[in-house]
Amino acid sequence: MTGHYDLVVIGAGIHGAGVAQAAAAAGNSVLVLEQTGIASATSCRSSKLIHGGLRYLESGQFNLVRESLRERAILLRVAPHLVRLVPFHIPIYRDTRRRPWKIRAGLSLYAVLDNLRDSAWFSTLPRSQWNELDGLATENLQAVFRYQDAQTDDAALTQAVMRSAQSLGAELIMPGEFLGAQRSAHGYAVRYGTAQGEQECIATTLVNAAGPWVNSVLARITPRLPPAEIELVQGAHIVLDGPLHRGVYYTEAEDGRAVFVMPWRSMTLVGTTETRFSGDPAQVRPLATEVDYLLRTFRRHFPQRDVQLRDQFAGLRVLPKGEGAAFGRPRETLFHTDTPELPYLVSIYGGKLTGYRATAEKVVTLLASTLSARTRRGDTRTLPLGP
Ligand SMILES: Cc1cc2nc3c(=O)[nH]c(=O)nc-3n(C[C@H](O)[C@H](O)[C@H](O)COP(=O)(O)OP(=O)(O)OC[C@H]3O[C@@H](n4cnc5c(N)ncnc54)[C@H](O)[C@@H]3O)c2cc1C
């Protein structure tokens, strides 16, 4: 017998898991198809920050920052074992491009956008405490700002969201490779590959949450829709031996980009980079030039620390096509639908781990006019996400 679902979601990264949870919470029947593993792609290769994105203030993305800070507050509440506040430090040296007045203005605005919650405090660290900062270079250091943001385990968070979706009735087929879909009067006839061979089901609506594969999934759906013009931009991280005890450091690389130095599983995580990528998303790997750039940035800020490279990984951002450096490009999530007034298909482009819940709720709202009204089973703002 062919199954019939209100929603079939393609991809079990954070967005697919989030949409499955939000749609199941709204009472819909949901099937998730994942070709490899939960959080096996971008959602295990992020900087693992649940943050408002202080640097997005520089490019005027205030709505994104406000929404991200709101989502951070929700996640701190519903997932306290997975998302926790950590002190962040911004060292300002004589040659740092972002001057103290700019950082102070940015942190003040950040606090206002966070509704001046307890988590919004910031301060400058007295000079007497500079030597306690994990070996941070103090030569030519002029000021150190301290504020709070949050860290998570991105893969564990995604798995927790998927477990929540499943507890609300969502089904997951894995490995389940989406092969194609054909629009009919009542939605889409969906074909997918499993270990048992090719299967079919009917989906009233389809959500394409395939991350960097978004356009190759879209190309398998008929009638064909023109894809959004995007660019894949890879970001590399390195993992170094040795812990950090005082929190995260928000450093400035030689080209002015922000590079985070973060505690991670008793080691040190350093990232990230922005390098245009073309090719098969499954093959993304850090380049030697990216590893050198991150090592140089780390050594400049922590000259006395031993540097033993333990691991390295890279993930792909999906950004709207544009001129110039990716650093200043908008990071808002974009939705692409088949028929805007009554959508049966939504493709998710871009987005942040931090904002996955808000993104998922927007997708479910977009599809609400197409789907039949169901009895709600939960609210993603309050559903706990277990460890
Ligand atoms: C370097 C880097 C650092 C980042 N740091 C942060 C950060 O610190 N904080 C933050 O908030 N955000 C961060 N982000 C953004 C965040 O990581 C991403 O927005 C998010 O992980 C994207 O999730 P996704 O579900 O859209 O895609 P993915 O996690 O890539 O998931 C897509 C899934 O679709 C599956 N799939 C693809 N094709 C098919 C098919 N045909 N059939 C079945 N399944 C299929 C794939 O196997 C994959 O599991 C970062 C991103 C990058 C690249």
Side-chain angles (χ1 to χ4, degrees), residues 7-9 15-16 18-20 22-23 28 205-209 333-337 343 345-349 356-371:
L7 235 106
V8 168
V9 182
H15 286 130
V19 170
N28 298 290
T205 61
L206 261 187
V207 176
N208 174 1
T333 318
L334 303 174
F335 303 112
H336 183 284
T337 57
L345 164 66
V346 180
S347 297
I348 302 171
Y349 286 85
Y356 82 85
R357 195 205 63 87
T359 297
E361 289 293 351
K362 286 175 198 166
V363 170
V364 173
T365 303
L366 269 173
L367 294 173
S369 49
T370 315
L371 292 167

Side-chain angles (χ1 to χ4, degrees), residues 11 13-15 34-35 41-43 46-49 176 178 212 351 353-354:
I14 192 66
H15 286 130
E34 168 52 53
Q35 63 187 5
T42 326
S43 300
S46 77
S47 299
K48 305 166 201 314
L49 299 177
F178 172 78
L353 189 73
T354 307

Side-chain angles (χ1 to χ4, degrees), residues 238-241 294-296 298-299 302-310:
I238 54 173
V239 181
L240 304 176
D241 248 348
L294 294 174
L295 282 172
R296 269 199 315 279
F298 179 77
R299 284 201 178 101
F302 297 90
Q304 287 151 22
R305 287 183 66 119
D306 249 7
V307 177
Q308 293 287 336
L309 189 59
R310 285 284 296 271

Side-chain angles (χ1 to χ4, degrees), residues 217-237:
V217 161
L218 193 64
R220 296 178 181 188
I221 300 173
T222 44
R224 290 286 285 272
L225 289 172
E229 288 202 17
I230 55 166
E231 211 161 59
L232 298 181
V233 176
Q234 83 172 57
H237 286 86

Side-chain angles (χ1 to χ4, degrees), residues 17 21 38 79 82 154-166 356 384-387:
Q21 187 207 30
I38 298 170
L82 286 165
D154 45 6
L157 179 67
T158 307
Q159 278 156 3
V161 177
M162 184 54 81
R163 275 198 303 277
S164 170
Q166 288 173 293
Y356 82 85
L385 298 173

Side-chain angles (χ1 to χ4, degrees), residues 10-17 33-51 56 154 176-179 209-214 216-217 220 233-237 260 262 272-273 314-318 348 350-355:
I10 303 151
I14 192 66
H15 286 130
L33 297 173
E34 168 52 53
Q35 63 187 5
T36 310
I38 298 170
S40 57
T42 326
S43 300
C44 70
R45 298 179 202 153
S46 77
S47 299
K48 305 166 201 314
L49 299 177
I50 297 296
H51 61 158
Y56 301 135
D154 45 6
E177 185 191 2
F178 172 78
L179 299 174
W213 291 268
V214 59
S216 53
V217 161
R220 296 178 181 188
V233 176
Q234 83 172 57
H237 286 86
F260 290 108
M262 300 162 278
T272 176
T273 57
L316 290 170
R317 304 175 185 86
V318 178
I348 302 171
K352 304 289 294 173
L353 189 73
T354 307

Side-chain angles (χ1 to χ4, degrees), residues 82-93:
L82 286 165
V83 180
R84 58 186 191 97
L85 286 174
V86 180
F88 276 54
H89 303 90
I90 311 180
I92 311 290
Y93 295 89

Side-chain angles (χ1 to χ4, degrees), residues 32 69 123 145 202 236-237 287 298-299 322 346 361 367 374:
V32 181
L69 287 169
S123 59
F145 287 88
I202 303 294
H237 286 86
L287 306 176
F298 179 77
R299 284 201 178 101
V346 180
E361 289 293 351
L367 294 173
R374 305 281 187 210

